[in-house]
Amino acid sequence: MGPARRARNSTGDGSPGVQCSNCHLRPSCLPAGLSPEELEQVDSRLVSWRRKVARGEALFRAGDRFDTVFAVWSGFFKTVISSTQGCEQVTGFRMAGEVIGLDGIETGRHRVDAVALENSQVCVVPFSELEALEREVPSLQRQFHKIMSQRIACGYDVMFLLGSMYAEERVAAFLLELTRRLQTRGFSASRLVLRMSRVELGSFLGLTLETVSRTLTKFQANGLLVVQQKQIQIADPAGLRQLIDRAQLPGSRQQLHEAHASTGSIAPSSG
Amino acid sequence: MGPARRARNSTGDGSPGVQCSNCHLRPSCLPAGLSPEELEQVDSRLVSWRRKVARGEALFRAGDRFDTVFAVWSGFFKTVISSTQGCEQVTGFRMAGEVIGLDGIETGRHRVDAVALENSQVCVVPFSELEALEREVPSLQRQFHKIMSQRIACGYDVMFLLGSMYAEERVAAFLLELTRRLQTRGFSASRLVLRMSRVELGSFLGLTLETVSRTLTKFQANGLLVVQQKQIQIADPAGLRQLIDRAQLPGSRQQLHEAHASTGSIAPSSG
DNA sequence: CGCGTGCTTGATTTTACTCAAACACTGTGG
DNA sequence: CCACAGTGTTTGAGTAAAATCAAGCACGCG
C-alpha cells in the first residue's frame, strides 16, 4: 500500500537486492535462458520483492484480486480449489523456482487458494510490468509462455493420473514425479520428505488418506520404499516405474479405439 | 510446404480472406477485445489460413513438432493423452472459438493428439508470428495470456471433477459445463448433441462407457434429461446443479481441514 | 508426562468396473 | 426398399477397488 510496496528491488522488509541475475533458481524460473544483458533489464525494470509466508498461511485465496504472479523462492506450497459447498481438492504442489498465480489472469481473480506447507518466501512479480517487459524482451516472453504451457501440459498428466490409474499407480507416479522435480533442483533422487499430510496427498491423488497410507505401507512391504512418516526413501525406482507402465497395458483400462488397419491396403472409410 | 503455405490470408485451398475482423467467433477467440485498428493489424500481419480436418482425422499427434496454434473455426475436437503403453485419456473437448495446441509451446512438441470428432475447420496461426504481434499489440498479448490462464484454470476444474466427484456428479457437471459453452456460442441451453461417443465421454470423466450410459439412463428416469442416443435434452437444469452442490456437502468426501472454532466454546474434538 | 494431531491398521460397505448379452442405429449392398 | 453387418449403446449379474467406519498407535509439542 505504502511506498515500500513499490520500492525497486527491495524485499517486503525493506532489505535491497532481489535480483534474478544473482539467483540460483534462475535456470528453472521466469528468467531462464536470458542473456546477461536481458537479465540486467529484468533486474532493473521488473519491480520484484520478496514476501514471507509462514507455514499454514495463504499466499492468496480464491476470489482475491489478481495483479501479481509469484515465484517460489524457498519453501513449499499447495494450491487448492474449493466448491461453494466447502469441498476441497488439492490441484498441485509448488516448490522453489515454480510460478504461482497463473490461474488468475483470465478473470482478474484467483481461482484457487495457495497455502504454504512450510515457512516460505516468494518473489512478487507485478503482472502488468511483467507483460510490459515481455514486449521488450522476447526471450522473457517465450519463457513465460513456456511456463504457462507446461502448467497446461502438467494438468493433462494429472488428468491422466486421476482418470486412468489405480491407487498404487497414482502414488507411484506421484513419487517419481516429485523426485524428478526435486532432482532438477539438486536434491537426492532417492530420499525425500513429504511436506504435505496424507490428507493433502490423498486429495491431490483423488484418494482417501487411508488408501494413501495403505499403499505406502504396501510399497514398503514390497521393498519399493522405506517409509518413516514423512521421510521416504525410494529403494527401487525401477520397480515403481514398472508399476506404472505395467498398469497401462491394454486391458487394464479402457481403449478409445482398437488400432485398426495398421496393414494399409484396406483404406479406412472412416465415416 | 510450398508457397501456398505461407500465402497471406488465404485458406489452404487458396481461397482468400481469412480475416479476424469478419469472423463472428471473434468475441471468444484470440482477437477478443481488440480495437478496430488493432484488428486491422492482426488481419494484415498475422499470417493465418484455414485447414480442413475430416471427422476422425488428427489435426496433430503427440510428438509432432509444434510451431502453430490452431483456433477451431467450425466442428469439434477431442484432445487425447496417451501413455507409452497405449492407454489413452481424453483431456478435453474443443469447439468453435477455442484454441488448440497450447501444450506444445514448452517442449516444441505436442503432448496430446487432437482429433476431429466431426468435419471441422481450424484457423492456423504460426506461433512465432503470434508472439511477434503480441509484442506490438498489448491487448492481443493480454488476450493470449487470458486464454492460457483459462486453460490452466479449466484443468483445475477437471481435476476437481475427477478427484472429488462421484459418477453422477461428474456427468451432471459435464453436461452443465458443455451447455454453458454452447450457450455462449448462441446454441440452446436445453438441447445439445453429444459429438463424442460414450467411450470418449467416459474417458474424459474417468468412467467406463457403461457407467456413463447407466448414469444418463438414471437421469432420464429421474426426469433430469431426455436422452435419445447423442441427442440430449436438459429437462431440469436446476436439478442437475443441485446434484453437484448437494454432493459437495461436508461428509460427502474428504475435508482438508475442519473449519475449526466457528462456535468457540465447545471445541469439536472431531476424532 | 499427557494431550492432540496425524497416521496406521482392520472390518465392512459402497461404488463403479468387468464380463456378458442383447438391442438400436447407420450405412451398405442386394 | 429391405436385409444385414458393424459399430455403438443399453442393460444385467457378479466382482474388485477403494471409501467409509472404527479403533488403536506414534510422534511432536507444551
Side-chain angles (χ1 to χ4, degrees), chain B residues 165-168 206-208 210-211 214 229 253 258 269:
Chain B
M165 287 186 182
Y166 290 113
E168 290 185 17
L207 303 170
T208 58
E210 293 97 330
T211 300
R214 275 185 250 268
Q229 298 292 115
R253 286 265 168 139
E258 51 287 76
S269 56

Side-chain angles (χ1 to χ4, degrees), chain B residues 187-205:
Chain B
F187 293 97
S188 164
S190 59
R191 286 183 175 277
L192 66 151
V193 179
L194 298 179
R195 306 294 176 176
M196 72 295 293
S197 70
R198 299 287 191 269
V199 174
E200 288 161 337
L201 183 47
S203 172
F204 178 65
L205 297 176

Side-chain angles (χ1 to χ4, degrees), chain A residues 85-251:
Chain A
Q85 306 297 317
C87 183
E88 296 182 337
Q89 162 91 23
V90 172
T91 58
F93 300 105
R94 303 279 162 253
M95 58 179 72
E98 295 177 331
V99 177
I100 301 187
L102 301 172
D103 57 283
I105 299 170
E106 189 210 357
T107 60
R109 299 265 170 198
H110 285 289
R111 293 279 311 269
V112 296
D113 298 351
V115 178
L117 297 183
E118 56 182 337
N119 293 332
S120 304
Q121 285 185 267
V122 297
C123 295
V124 181
V125 182
F127 184 62
S128 59
E129 296 185 36
L130 175 62
E131 277 191 323
L133 197 57
E134 274 182 54
R135 292 196 288 271
E136 297 178 38
V137 183
S139 43
L140 179 65
Q141 179 192 35
R142 173 54 62 102
Q143 179 61 14
F144 184 67
H145 287 164
K146 281 188 178 182
I147 287 171
M148 296 203 90
S149 171
Q150 188 196 33
R151 195 59 50 82
I152 292 170
C154 171
Y156 292 156
D157 292 334
V158 176
M159 287 179 208
F160 185 86
L161 181 143
L162 291 171
S164 300
M165 288 186 181
Y166 290 113
E168 291 185 16
E169 304 161 38
R170 294 184 200 186
V171 174
F174 171 79
L175 289 173
L176 289 175
E177 166 67 9
L178 190 65
T179 50
R180 192 191 60 73
R181 282 198 282 164
L182 286 167
Q183 216 175 345
T184 66
R185 284 158 181 80
F187 292 97
S188 164
S190 59
R191 285 183 174 280
L192 67 150
V193 179
L194 298 178
R195 306 292 176 177
M196 71 294 294
S197 70
R198 298 288 192 269
V199 174
E200 288 161 335
L201 183 46
S203 172
F204 178 66
L205 297 176
L207 303 170
T208 58
L209 71 132
E210 292 97 329
T211 300
V212 172
S213 177
R214 276 185 250 269
T215 304
L216 290 174
T217 303
K218 184 173 178 186
F219 283 176
Q220 180 161 35
N222 293 349
L224 297 169
L225 302 177
V226 179
V227 183
Q228 288 177 301
Q229 298 290 115
K230 293 189 181 298
Q231 313 274 334
I232 304 274
Q233 187 184 340
I234 313 270
D236 181 4
L240 287 175
R241 170 63 55 195
Q242 212 173 22
L243 202 62
I244 302 170
D245 292 344
R246 172 120 33 93
Q248 292 166 13
L249 285 170

Side-chain angles (χ1 to χ4, degrees), chain A residues 15-30:
Chain A
S15 56
V18 172
Q19 296 195 321
C20 291
S21 53
N22 296 331
C23 183
H24 66 289
L25 291 168
R26 179 154 36 87
S28 66
C29 195
L30 263 173

Side-chain angles (χ1 to χ4, degrees), chain B residues 168 212-225 227:
Chain B
E168 290 185 17
V212 171
S213 176
R214 275 185 250 268
T215 305
L216 291 175
T217 302
K218 184 172 178 186
F219 283 175
Q220 180 160 32
N222 293 350
L224 297 169
L225 302 177
V227 183

